[in-house]
Amino acid sequence: MSLFDHKLADLHDLLHKKEITIADLVRESYKRIEEVDGKVQAFLTLDEERALARAEELQQKLGSDEGLLFGMPIGVKDNIVTKELRTTAASKILGNFDPIYNATVADKLHSADAITIGKLNMDEFAMGSSTENSHFAKTKNPWNLETVPGGSSGGSAAAVAAGEVPFSLGSDTGGSIRQPASFCGVVGLKPTYGRVSRFGLIAFASSLDQIGPITTNVEDNAYLLEAIAGLDPNDSTSANVNVPNYRSALTGDIKGLKVAVPKEYLGDGVSEEVRQSVREALKVLEGLGATIDEVSLPHSKYGVATYYLLSSSEASANLARFDGIRYGYRADNAENLIDLYKKTRAEGFGDEVKRRIMLGTYALSSGYYDAYYKKAQKVRTLIKQDFEKVFEDYDVIVGPTTPTPAFKIGEQIDDPLTMYANDILTIPVNLAGVPGISVPAGLSEIGLPLGLQIIGKHFDESTVYRVAHAYEQAANHNMKPEL
Amino acid sequence: MTKITKDEVKHVAHLARLNIDEQEAEKFAEQLGSIITFAEQLNELDTENVEPTTHVLDMKNILRDDKPVDGLPREQVLKNAPDHQDGQVKVPTILE
């Protein structure tokens, strides 16, 4: 049994009863990484020396009423900048980037006395659904090393599933926390847009990006969100909305709660075993006293097209900063400044990143702006209105996280459109800006995890957590891979 | 199917400051063509009277206090610069 089979509150008790030390927790992490990361390849950078020193330092400070994250080891996705700890966004262009400041979430973790174990692999600049677009390594799914962990936060989900760290942070632009959480059998939440500061998150699509927690259980997830959420003067899109005590929402009581199931989320594109797992989950929720109705989100099928136009357009602007001048990779032998930009970017970016920069540049270019970019912004309004309409009458929307369980490494990498379709059920949530969670919902026939997605109203993570927790406790899947 | 020519790809790559060779131009022309064709399904929808969404939350004009604060120390700023000299970032010739 691993220490990380305990939930956060129990680890906290063990620390205070002096049954374990903080160094035990940190060593447990590095020991497990040593054992399995050669196979899983979740981590890009480790920070062992400093983590162990910090463990000793915090152990001296340990009093009687420390916060819950005190001394807890955590992994951080590599697009979240961490001061003096290499941050690459899994790109060659940032291969040696040594940040001079902390992202707000990294500062908050530090203030809560959590200990950063290392930085986690991802698709380059968070563009992808399999973590195969990383410049450095292909992370494997701990449930089956021939399948992908999902993406783009594949390292963050795989590390938690493999027991390398008990919790991690990911980021989600179109499903990049929820889809890998689903594929790896862990819990991942994308908060409401504006709930968590994006300051220090290397920007992909600024109107969609959110940082969120990945954990083995819902309760830990709620603790972690509480620690990182809130208004930040350094992010003008972070919202001035009170952060509630999410743990108090975990009552197990969902009697009378109104659950909507969009028919589009159980349609033809979704595999039968995924649909079956959702039907079983709905029975569990019904058994707990919730009412279930079928509804429609009629514009869902336009989500993927809308998303790729908008996110690529935003990315083409955001990634203009990587030019080889102030930081990052710089190409040799440039004849002049323009040549330097072009060579640096051609050598520094991978294919998927180039594809999206060009798609975005095209969609924003003169003559095409109205036809593509503005059109997509208008369809985004329709998608957002779909959710608003359903939430007039319902508390949460429930469906699958992904149309299928994890696919094989290499299977979709040459076909961008097939790869993009993985996110068909998660993308509309980002476009509408509402919160969504993926919780484990059992295993497929061949033993791969399936996920249940629960979507809530703006800033109503409490209800999302309440339903996720009630389902988790009642269904009791208790999933853990053999590695 | 919307056709994107190799020349269009080269033009877009130039705008995006990306060097690409002939082979890449061909590959990206085909891939971008199919992505754009896929995206054109949005034309099925009448959006004549629909307002565009640029931001999902109703917030505007978020301003900070107009107070001077210290900038970053020079050695910090230059720490990640690939090339620098005498406290300045060094770049190739700009004026021919």
Side-chain angles (χ1 to χ4, degrees), chain A residues 187-198:
Chain A
V187 179
L189 175 102
K190 183 206 85 79
T192 308
Y193 182 82
R195 181 53 106 182
V196 176
S197 168
R198 294 184 296 109

Side-chain angles (χ1 to χ4, degrees), chain A residues 98 100 193 302 324-328 330 342 345-346 351 355 358 368 372 375 377-378 380-381 431, chain B residues 14 16-17 19 27-28 31 36 40 42 44-45 47 50-51 53-54 56-57 79-82 90:
Chain A
D98 187 15
I100 58 174
Y193 182 82
Y302 300 104
I325 304 296
R326 292 153 299 161
Y327 40 74
R330 181 187 284 194
K342 285 180 151 185
R345 290 162 63 81
D351 269 5
R355 210 156 26 234
M358 287 196 278
Y368 296 108
Y372 296 116
K375 180 80 185 182
Q377 285 189 312
K378 288 180 165 196
R380 183 175 187 181
T381 303
L431 291 170
Chain B
H14 170 70
R17 300 293 185 255
N19 262 355
K27 181 180 73 182
F28 284 130
Q31 289 174 336
I36 288 290
E40 281 170 352
L42 300 187
E44 293 166 15
L45 294 168
T47 52
V50 178
E51 286 295 317
T53 294
T54 49
V56 286
L57 303 177
K79 192 172 91 169
N80 281 288
K90 198 172 172 187

Side-chain angles (χ1 to χ4, degrees), chain A residues 71-207:
Chain A
M72 295 297 159
I74 186 164
V76 176
K77 187 176 179 178
D78 209 24
N79 58 350
I80 295 170
V81 303
T82 43
K83 191 174 179 181
E84 289 163 16
L85 179 58
R86 187 176 83 125
T87 299
T88 69
S91 181
K92 181 181 174 185
I93 212 161
L94 283 176
N96 295 313
F97 182 58
D98 187 15
I100 58 174
Y101 70 101
N102 262 334
T104 297
V105 292
D107 263 343
K108 286 188 173 232
L109 289 177
H110 190 80
S111 312
D113 295 313
I115 299 178
T116 302
I117 294 297
K119 303 300 292 289
L120 291 156
N121 198 19
M122 53 184 283
D123 286 295
E124 183 180 3
F125 287 108
M127 297 177 186
S129 310
S130 68
T131 312
E132 290 166 288
N133 293 332
S134 166
H135 175 69
F136 302 105
K138 284 188 178 36
T139 301
K140 316 297 187 300
N141 190 319
W143 288 85
N144 179 332
L145 298 171
E146 284 168 18
T147 63
V148 302
S152 65
S153 311
S156 299
V160 171
E164 296 176 318
V165 277
F167 348 90
S168 65
L169 294 184
S171 70
D172 190 317
T173 305
S176 281
I177 287 173
R178 290 159 288 154
Q179 184 252 23
S182 175
F183 279 11
C184 292
V186 293
V187 179
L189 175 102
K190 183 206 85 79
T192 308
Y193 182 82
R195 181 53 106 182
V196 176
S197 168
R198 294 184 296 109
F199 180 70
L201 173 66
I202 296 171
F204 160 18
S206 308
S207 81

